[in-house]
Amino acid sequence: MTVQTAFDLIFRNAKPRSFPAPVDIGVKDGRIAAIEPWLACEAVEVDVGGRLALPGFVDTHIHLDKACLLERCGHIRGTLGDAIRAVSAMKRDFGVEDVYARGAKVLERAIVHGTTRMRTHVEIDPRIGLRSFEAVKALKHDYAWAIDLSLCVFPQEGLTNDPGAEELLVQALRDGADAIGGCPYTDTDPNAHLARIFDLAQGFDLDVDLHLDFDLDTSWSHLDEVCRQTEQRKYGGRVAIGHATKLSALPPERLKAATAQLAKAGVAVTVLPATDLYLMGREASHNAPRGLTLAHKLAGDGIICSVATNNVLNPFTPFGDASLLRMANFYANVAHAAVGDFDICLDLVTELPARLMNLKDYGIAVGKPADLVVLDTQDSRFAIAELPDILMGFKNGRQTFERKAATLLKPRN
């Protein structure tokens, strides 16, 4: 028992994943100051009731700038090219206030669904200029009370083939971008595109997060070049690739080789179930392929992986509520995850994406920020299995939301 009089807040009977039984968590000045079976202290108390406590969900890949566009674009055929063209046409008219309003709507949904860290990809090119970047920068500032938002700027429609894009990208990097991405499959010179993205990443000392290999044609890939650049520049642990749906189409021996290549280079993988499933295999008349890379299997082979949202209510993904718990459940269903895999499926939206983003201050441990979300379950496996309510959230020891449990109104007679 620790006797302490200086806590600002105590979570009573909380059940972090790494503890065998409920504990008390003492908070001082926004950080976790003690974790004990019982803390004797007079402070504001929150009784967690033995429920599961997590440090919040981590979304490594979302596009706040192009969310909530369905009302503007109607129904399109559903291919990747269609989606890129539809958004390219619309974003010419995006204004800062418009991007801010749509992004805020999704960001608030994410917060009440328990997300405390997020990397949003932001398009930079001559059509949108820096308007989306300015809007998302404002979101980062205005919602810092509830979520840590990281901006990954990237050219969606190419770089070497898009005059003016690089100058705008550099301007955004100088103006506070947190990471840099790329999209080599839309460039006429994919390898030069990748080389330039890595040059800029090194010049600004930023992590790299790429859109890569987003189809099911296994006759070509940019994975080799990404791994080569990563190893050549000693950038292992600082590079992630998103989608990578080609991996889902590889036969076992080729997948084994690609897995070893990723692990050796230190390249992480983000799987985006809602988008990958919506866009892949649409041309099939029957027995359509899923197009979903098995992140939990890759993680078991030592690759840092995450499952993330990507798009919400737009031509790339006409679904979404920014709930990573729902996304992890969705992934587990489609990926044929066994019950024994449920904990690693939860890892894919918590611990592993925190490692992917190199977040040193993530977790429920003494000295870490008092970021906490409480799920209405006591067993982490059931977080995936039954999608329990997320009852409350705290950021730096301050409550950010609460959700009242549903009440069943039985008849009196």
Side-chain angles (χ1 to χ4, degrees):
M1 180 179 72
T2 296
V3 178
Q4 176 66 264
T5 59
F7 295 131
D8 302 319
L9 172 68
I10 296 177
F11 295 102
R12 299 284 189 198
N13 302 311
K15 180 61 176 64
R17 294 177 72 192
S18 57
F19 288 78
V23 293
D24 289 352
I25 302 172
V27 177
K28 176 65 177 175
D29 296 330
R31 290 189 172 270
I32 296 172
I35 303 176
E36 301 283 352
W38 172 254
L39 292 173
C41 175
E42 290 187 6
V44 175
E45 297 186 4
V46 175
D47 187 358
V48 180
R51 296 181 181 89
L52 182 66
L54 301 174
F57 298 108
V58 181
D59 201 330
T60 62
H61 192 126
I62 192 170
H63 295 263
L64 294 178
D65 56 339
K66 54 191 183 189
C68 304
L69 294 173
L70 285 188
E71 295 176 352
R72 304 184 192 185
C73 66
H75 187 270
I76 61 173
R77 287 187 300 162
T79 68
L80 176 60
D82 289 333
I84 291 174
R85 286 187 290 273
V87 173
S88 180
M90 284 186 284
K91 70 184 176 185
R92 297 172 187 271
D93 298 323
F94 287 177
V96 174
E97 291 183 0
D98 166 47
V99 174
Y100 183 100
R102 290 185 288 103
K105 181 178 179 181
V106 175
L107 202 54
E108 290 180 6
R109 294 292 297 275
I111 290 166
V112 300
H113 285 309
T115 298
T116 56
R117 313 289 182 103
M118 177 183 284
R119 173 182 284 172
T120 180
H121 290 248
V122 183
E123 293 187 21
I124 305 286
D125 62 37
R127 287 155 293 285
I128 185 60
L130 296 174
R131 297 190 300 278
S132 288
F133 178 69
E134 293 300 326
V136 180
K137 256 203 328 180
L139 289 171
K140 175 179 179 175
H141 174 270
D142 293 350
Y143 285 89
W145 56 272
I147 190 168
D148 293 328
L149 187 59
S150 173
L151 279 62
C152 178
V153 295
F154 83 112
Q156 167 77 70
E157 300 178 48
L159 183 62
T160 69
N161 57 330
D162 196 6
E166 183 170 333
E167 290 77 8
L168 289 165
L169 195 59
V170 170
Q171 192 173 339
L173 294 172
R174 287 174 176 161
D175 198 22
D178 303 291
I180 184 171
C183 199
Y185 54 79
T186 62
D187 203 307
T188 52
D189 192 343
N191 286 357
H193 179 115
L194 287 168
R196 191 63 192 130
I197 294 299
F198 274 92
D199 286 343
L200 291 169
Q202 285 189 299
F204 286 88
D205 190 25
L206 297 175
D207 290 357
V208 175
D209 198 333
L210 303 161
H211 293 64
L212 201 79
D213 286 0
F214 193 14
D215 61 36
L216 300 177
D217 181 357
T218 60
S219 67
W220 63 273
S221 169
H222 297 134
L223 181 62
D224 288 347
E225 181 63 15
V226 169
C227 290
R228 190 187 72 79
Q229 291 276 355
T230 301
E231 292 187 278
Q232 175 187 321
R233 298 167 187 264
K234 297 180 171 55
Y235 236 57
R238 301 192 67 181
V239 178
I241 57 174
H243 299 292
T245 50
K246 287 181 188 287
L247 292 175
S248 74
L250 292 178
E253 287 306 309
R254 288 184 63 188
L255 179 60
K256 182 178 179 181
T259 300
Q261 186 178 26
L262 287 163
K264 180 174 179 287
V267 174
V269 177
T270 294
V271 172
L272 304 158
T275 303
D276 297 346
L277 285 158
Y278 177 69
L279 292 178
M280 295 298 101
R282 296 185 69 85
E283 70 285 355
S285 62
H286 63 285
N287 200 23
R290 287 177 167 85
L292 186 78
T293 291
L294 298 183
H296 70 291
K297 298 287 189 182
L298 293 178
D301 288 326
I303 297 171
I304 296 175
C305 292
S306 68
V307 162
T309 300
N310 196 41
N311 282 290
V312 176
L313 303 176
N314 74 10
F316 293 88
T317 320
F319 312 99
D321 60 359
S323 169
L324 280 178
L325 187 61
R326 183 186 65 82
M327 193 65 70
N329 169 277
F330 180 47
Y331 168 85
N333 272 271
V334 178
H336 290 157
V339 174
D341 298 322
F342 285 2
D343 263 322
I344 197 167
C345 289
L346 187 56
D347 288 339
L348 290 170
V349 291
T350 53
E351 306 293 339
L352 288 171
R355 289 176 60 192
L356 184 152
M357 289 179 61
N358 289 305
L359 301 177
K360 307 302 183 186
D361 61 348
Y362 178 85
I364 298 178
V366 173
K368 305 289 188 184
D371 298 348
L372 213 71
V373 296
V374 176
L375 280 62
D376 193 15
T377 185
Q378 297 178 343
D379 189 326
S380 58
R381 293 172 302 171
F382 283 88
I384 296 297
E386 64 178 355
L387 292 177
D389 288 338
I390 303 169
L391 300 177
M392 65 185 81
F394 293 78
K395 185 69 178 169
N396 296 317
R398 178 191 177 277
Q399 188 162 10
T400 55
F401 72 91
E402 67 175 344
R403 180 179 286 109
K404 299 294 186 183
T407 301
L408 192 63
L409 302 177
K410 296 181 179 181
R412 295 181 178 179
N413 297 329

